């Protein structure tokens, strides 16, 4: 259906002002472009983000080595192309070419293939029966590695369970506005800030923050007439020192952490808790899953790093019951899809996700739609966040 003719690599800006890579793939009948995001609270088990010399070296390797390997290959051979990227890299974790270069290339190839068939990306990936769209998870208040002076818990999210994506997106944005109003009331005269993902940040305690966001979700629920729930991303690896979880007001053992989260989940009717325990605290994960896994989604982000192998380990142990899916944690679309399918085959829910450093690339909206992901975590407001949300609204209209 068309051999790849040219591949271009360029350095572009991300939402934090850092450099990232954008890739263009040109084939006989199509064109595809994609860019890579980047994390701040990255997991230790993610593939390498960049070549040893950083973005510039990845771009150079792309131009000098990757492009020539791809030219002449049929753009529809996604799996073969993804294998070729891994073979060309040869390190097993993209340490030579960079996982971000690999993922942008992989997604640009998929986009080019879709374009050559005259299909939107979600329809190329998911086929004719795409119907279930992911529920938006919108970060409205936070701290951690994303904001100076905020909560220890990285993200407090609103998850609107509306009848349509469009209504849900607006309900989450309403919660974001209400959180601002409530914070202004609580801290009169103080300046409020925003973190990397557009969530508010304030000198508020972890439990008070849950209370405030749960209240704002309740206001949205009353206004819109459908459920709007609180969700957390603790990003607990950032708090873990190998022995305990360090909060501003003291330390918690793994067992304390499980109790703390179980209590929060019950008090605030929390829909999901992501990374409640650290990336290698498997015992803690199993304990939390036994404790509240039947009523709360427990989402592994740093725990699984979108790796089928780590997910398989979690399934075996009974750790978590859901997985956050970030394509650049694993480096190619094929490996991302392998992870999503493994999760679904084993009753784990999937939440496709942005990173804290983003571009306006909207591929995750298409991936979430194509594979029937339960949720999409991509912020509530902000240009690089609404790029995905608005694309999902367009996809919904098309369907
Ligand atoms: P990151 O954080 O993109 O900074 O790694 C987002 C998350 O932890 O989900
Ligand atoms: Zn996370």
């Amino acid at each position: 259906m068309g051999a790849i003719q040219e591949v271009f690599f360029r350095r572009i800006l991300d939402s934090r002002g850092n450099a990232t890579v954008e890739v263009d793939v040109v084939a006989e009948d199509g064109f595809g472009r994609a860019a890579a995001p980047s994390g701040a609270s990255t997991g230790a088990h993610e593939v390498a983000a960049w070549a040893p010399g950083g973005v510039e070296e990845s771009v150079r390797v792309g131009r000098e080595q990757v492009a020539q390997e791809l030219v002449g290959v049929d753009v529809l051979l996604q799996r073969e192309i993804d294998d070729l990227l891994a073979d060309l890299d040869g390190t097993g974790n993209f340490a030579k070419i960079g996982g971000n270069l690999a993922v942008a290339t992989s997604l640009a190839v998929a986009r080019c293939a879709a374009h050559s068939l005259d299909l939107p990306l979600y329809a190329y990936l998911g086929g004719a029966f795409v119907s279930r769209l992911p529920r938006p998870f919108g970060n409205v208040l936070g701290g951690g590695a994303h904001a100076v002076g905020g909560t220890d818990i990285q993200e407090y999210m609103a998850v609107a369970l509306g009848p349509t994506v469009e209504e849900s997106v607006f309900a989450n944005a309403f919660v974001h506005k209400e959180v601002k109003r409530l914070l202004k009331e609580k801290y009169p005269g103080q300046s409020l800030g925003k973190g990397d993902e557009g969530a508010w940040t304030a000198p508020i305690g972890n439990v008070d923050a849950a209370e405030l966001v749960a209240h704002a979700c309740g206001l949205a629920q009353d206004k819109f007439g459908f459920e709007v729930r609180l969700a957390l991303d603790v990003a607990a690896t950032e708090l873990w020192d190998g022995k305990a979880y360090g909060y501003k007001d003291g330390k918690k053992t793994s067992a304390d952490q499980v109790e703390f989260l179980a209590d929060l989940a019950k008090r605030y009717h929390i829909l999901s808790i992501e990374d409640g325990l650290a990336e290698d605290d498997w015992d803690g994960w199993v304990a939390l899953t036994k404790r509240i896994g039947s009523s709360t989604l427990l989402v592994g982000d740093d725990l699984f790093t979108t790796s089928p192998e780590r997910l398989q380990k979690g399934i075996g142990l009974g750790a978590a019951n859901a997985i956050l899916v970030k394509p650049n944690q694993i480096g190619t679309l094929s490996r991302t899809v392998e992870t999503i399918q493994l999760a679904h085959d084993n009753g784990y829910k999937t939440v496709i996700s942005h990173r804290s450093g983003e571009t306006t690339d909207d591929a995750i909206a298409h991936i979430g739609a194509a594979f029937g992901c339960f949720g999409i975590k991509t912020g509530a407001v902000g240009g690089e966040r609404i790029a995905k949300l608005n694309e999902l609204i367009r996809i919904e209209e098309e369907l």
Side-chain angles (χ1 to χ4, degrees), residues 39-41 146 154-155 197 233 274 301 326 355-356 377:
S41 59
H146 294 171
Q154 185 178 278
E155 300 168 29
E197 297 178 358
D233 179 5
E274 178 185 330
D301 170 14
K326 292 168 166 169
R355 304 298 308 242
S356 50
K377 175 169 120 154

Side-chain angles (χ1 to χ4, degrees), residues 296-321:
T296 312
L297 283 181
L298 300 171
V299 186
D301 170 14
D302 291 349
L303 178 71
F304 295 136
T305 55
T306 316
S307 150
E309 292 76 25
R310 287 189 65 89
L311 175 59
Q312 191 68 62
K313 178 172 175 179
I315 291 165
L317 291 171
N321 55 24

Side-chain angles (χ1 to χ4, degrees), residues 377-395:
K377 175 169 120 154
T378 185
V381 296
E384 69 283 3
R385 317 292 154 187
I386 64 168
K388 286 81 165 159
L389 295 172
N390 289 341
E391 184 68 357
L392 212 51
I393 291 174
R394 292 180 202 108
I395 293 171

